[in-house]
């Protein structure tokens, strides 16, 4: 897909050619304006200058109303530029009103409102791109009223919306739902991020039919209560009745949306769902996503009994679900509530094209050894998919032995990231992991690690990036300097147990004790690897 700047450059060239042809015609056909007259030059200069001004706008994000950037910067240069800028509607068709670090008072909201009115007036009838992110204090009634007025002004131009992104209190955004669909024929991208308060009264059910937004490609519905708690607070229901066939990307996070009733188009390529649903809900729905390429699921459902979930899968006659085009899969679940759902999901899912896989877990209650995602199910899922996995991120409880077993079946892995926490059932990562990833058993490396505790396994032979992130205050890793040096050299030196290095290690991030770090970075062979291609980052624990 061409970038906006590339499209603008192409348009400037085409329009310049048209201007030149019309100039030649005018010079030969106009008796009142002789060739090279100032009138001819001025009219064409104005049109070309207008295109140049549009090219000055930032491609992303939308322009902000500052005197240091276009379009406000342009109208300060001279009268000619000001006249041309004010007569160019496309120059005022994009606007971003954003306050990142503070809660706004009513006066600041009213100033933003004035800017919005100015932009909508100067933009004429061209399609609009509006990004409005204005946080206010929940108990500031005056600011909330001012924000509702601002939203009302944007609603008056809803038929011109091409892109609309609103991030604000849910009490100010409710009126937007009424115009979506039939009154937004030009809409291509919609993002509604609401901030709900636990004390708010439950809102009524909202029915949305987006079929008439026939150009809609990207859709985001998100509630920010997830920042305060992992157990979402729902305020009413959003029932999505149907979508246009043009939709390609959809995200639903922390909203009470029944995914079992979603009528999504078969063209959907990106799907992100976070909320109260079960493995049965998604697996029953997955046949509606034949072209899905990117999938993220965050399961927030309190299912405690694994036998119950297995019974549900049998009752709904859910067999093996195959999504042939999914290359990126992110699975997020809570311990212990969603472990059985996640395990059931993997046991009934096949992704033959998966290349990037990430698993995150978070704790929202007491759990024991049974309350975790089964690594056996994880390994079986990857084997069943027959995929050439390239990137793996694990932030979940597992044992070091289970990790080594899992890596034995991932010969195509290029990037590996492990999250270590000295809590619950997270393993203490030791030199066993480093030895498993050490390629060489050649005697040339004997002085490096003369008596290794664990055998060199040479797993993941084409690994390029390896990182271990230490999250908790108490260290969850116990790597030695000898183990790190041996692993790094085996992947950067020319000789290995399997012959020449196929793909040398380029990025390595590891936690070490202070003394071990000093030994690693002072090693001359490690320094040589760093000078050639290796980016080595060591954090002190």
């Amino acid at each position: 897909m061409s970038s906006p700047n590339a499209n603008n450059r192409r348009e400037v060239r085409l329009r310049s050619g048209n201007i030149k042809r019309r100039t030649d015609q005018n010079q030969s056909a106009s008796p009142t304006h002789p060739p090279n007259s100032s009138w001819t030059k001025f009219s064409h200069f104005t049109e070309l200058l207008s295109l140049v001004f549009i090219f000055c706008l930032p491609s992303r994000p939308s322009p902000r109303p500052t005197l240091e950037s276009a379009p406000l910067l342009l109208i300060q240069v001279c009268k000619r530029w000001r006249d041309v800028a004010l007569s160019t509607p496309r120059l005022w068709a994009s606007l971003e009103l954003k306050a990142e670090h503070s809660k706004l008072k009513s006066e600041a909201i009213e100033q933003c409102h004035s800017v919005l009115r100015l932009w909508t007036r100067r933009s004429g009838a061209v399609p609009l791109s509006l990004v409005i992110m204005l946080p206010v204090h929940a108990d500031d009634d005056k600011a909330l009223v001012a924000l509702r007025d601002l939203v009302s002004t944007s609603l008056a131009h809803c038929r011109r919306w091409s892109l609309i992104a609103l991030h604000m209190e849910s009490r100010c955004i409710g009126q937007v739902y009424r115009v979506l669909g039939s009154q937004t024929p030009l809409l291509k991208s919609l993002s509604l991020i609401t901030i709900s308060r636990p004390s708010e009264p439950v809102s009524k059910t909202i029915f949305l039919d987006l079929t008439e937004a026939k150009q809609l490609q990207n859709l985001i519905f998100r509630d920010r209560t997830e920042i305060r708690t992992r157990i979402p607070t729902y305020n009413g229901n959003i029932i999505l009745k149907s979508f246009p066939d043009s939709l390609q990307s959809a995200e639903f996070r922390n909203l009470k949306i029944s995914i079992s009733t979603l009528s999504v188009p078969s063209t959907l390529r990106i799907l992100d769902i976070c909320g109260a649903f079960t493995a049965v809900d998604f697996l029953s729905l997955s046949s509606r996503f034949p072209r899905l390429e990117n999938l993220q699921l965050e399961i927030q459902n309190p299912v405690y009994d694994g036998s119950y979930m297995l019974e549900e899968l049998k009752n709904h006659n859910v067999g093996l679900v195959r999504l042939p085009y999914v290359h990126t899969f992110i699975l997020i679940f809570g311990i212990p509530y969603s472990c059985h759902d996640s395990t059931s999901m993997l046991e009934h899912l096949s992704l033959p094209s998966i290349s990037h896989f990430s698993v995150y877990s978070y704790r929202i209650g007491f759990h024991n050894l049974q309350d975790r995602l089964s690594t056996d199910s994880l390994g079986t899922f990857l084997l069943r998919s027959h995929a050439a996995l390239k990137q793996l991120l694990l932030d979940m409880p597992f044992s070091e032995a289970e990790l080594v077993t899992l890596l034995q079946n991932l010969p195509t892995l290029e990037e590996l990231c492990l999250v270590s926490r000295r809590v619950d059932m997270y393993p203490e990562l030791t030199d066993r992991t480093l030895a498993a990833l050490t390629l060489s058993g050649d005697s040339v490396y004997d002085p490096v690690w003369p008596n290794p505790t664990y055998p060199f396994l040479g797993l993941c032979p084409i690994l390029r990036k390896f990182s271990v992130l230490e999250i908790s205050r108490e260290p969850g890793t116990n790597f030695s300097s000898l183990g790190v040096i041996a692993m790094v050299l085996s992947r950067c030196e020319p000789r290995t147990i399997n012959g020449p290095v196929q793909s040398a290690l380029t990025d390595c991030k590891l936690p070490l004790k202070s003394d071990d770090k000093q030994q690693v970075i002072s090693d001359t062979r490690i320094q040589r690897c760093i000078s050639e291609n290796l980016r080595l980052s060591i954090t002190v624990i």
Side-chain angles (χ1 to χ4, degrees), residues 23 66 91 108 127 193 227 233 292 363 506:
T23 300
T66 65
L91 202 59
I193 303 176
I227 291 180
T233 303
L292 201 62
R363 188 175 61 145
T506 59

Side-chain angles (χ1 to χ4, degrees), residues 49-57 63 70-72 74-75 81-82 84-95 119 122-123 126:
L49 187 60
S50 175
L51 291 174
V52 173
F53 284 174
I54 295 173
F55 183 72
C56 292
L57 293 173
L72 293 182
L74 301 174
I75 64 176
W81 280 33
R82 177 181 176 84
V84 173
L86 293 179
S87 61
T88 306
R90 284 178 57 191
L91 202 59
W92 310 90
S94 300
L95 176 63
W119 249 252
R122 290 178 176 177
S123 60
V126 299

Side-chain angles (χ1 to χ4, degrees), residues 144-198:
L144 289 172
V145 170
L147 191 54
R148 288 194 188 99
D149 292 341
L150 184 148
V151 173
S152 297
T153 297
S154 67
L155 287 172
H157 303 273
C158 63
R159 289 194 169 274
R160 292 201 285 141
W161 286 353
S162 174
L163 178 151
I164 184 73
L166 302 178
H167 178 184
M168 59 187 64
E169 293 282 332
S170 58
R171 287 174 287 179
C172 301
I173 215 169
Q175 51 189 326
V176 176
Y177 295 114
R178 303 190 191 101
V179 305
L180 295 177
S182 60
Q183 298 186 49
T184 54
L186 303 180
L187 191 61
K188 296 181 180 179
S189 179
L190 170 64
S191 175
L192 298 182
I193 303 176
T194 59
I195 304 174
S196 298
R197 310 291 175 181

Side-chain angles (χ1 to χ4, degrees), residues 184-359:
T184 54
L186 303 180
L187 191 61
K188 296 181 180 179
S189 179
L190 170 64
S191 175
L192 298 182
I193 303 176
T194 59
I195 304 174
S196 298
R197 310 291 175 181
S199 58
E200 290 181 24
V202 176
S203 59
K204 63 181 181 180
T205 299
I206 299 172
F207 294 87
L208 283 181
D209 186 348
L210 301 175
T211 309
E212 295 303 317
K214 297 186 180 300
Q215 300 185 43
L216 186 63
Q217 298 179 9
N218 303 304
L219 175 65
I220 296 176
F221 285 123
R222 187 188 305 165
D223 189 272
R224 293 300 295 272
T225 51
E226 63 181 338
I227 291 180
R228 298 188 299 277
T229 174
R230 280 295 194 173
I231 304 178
T233 303
Y234 298 119
N235 288 281
N237 300 334
I238 295 180
I239 297 180
L240 298 166
K241 298 176 64 176
S242 58
F243 300 90
D245 292 335
S246 57
L247 190 65
Q248 298 183 16
S249 173
E251 175 183 332
F252 311 107
R253 298 189 67 80
N254 275 23
L255 292 171
K256 193 172 183 181
I257 296 176
S258 175
I259 69 171
S260 61
T261 60
L262 286 179
S263 177
V264 294
S266 59
T267 54
L268 196 69
R269 294 187 298 112
I270 301 174
L271 179 63
D272 181 350
I273 300 179
C274 165
F277 63 94
T278 66
V280 174
D281 291 332
F282 176 77
L283 293 172
S284 301
L285 180 69
S286 56
S287 61
R288 306 179 191 179
F289 314 131
R291 300 184 185 179
L292 201 62
E293 299 176 4
N294 193 313
L295 175 63
Q296 176 168 330
L297 300 176
E298 180 168 351
I299 304 176
Q300 297 179 334
N301 192 64
V303 176
Y304 298 90
D305 186 359
S307 60
Y308 164 78
M309 179 51 58
L310 293 175
E311 189 66 28
E312 282 291 293
L313 290 167
K314 292 179 181 178
N315 292 338
H316 287 78
N317 195 26
V318 177
L320 184 65
V321 174
R322 189 173 184 270
L323 298 176
Y325 301 111
V326 172
H327 54 75
T328 301
F329 181 30
I330 300 175
L331 178 62
I332 307 172
F333 61 94
I335 300 173
Y337 294 166
S338 308
C339 295
H340 300 298
D341 267 302
S342 301
T343 299
S344 300
M345 182 87 68
L346 295 180
E347 290 177 347
H348 290 78
L349 196 60
S350 174
L351 306 178
S353 299
I354 186 173
S355 60
H356 297 71
F357 184 34
S358 301
V359 183

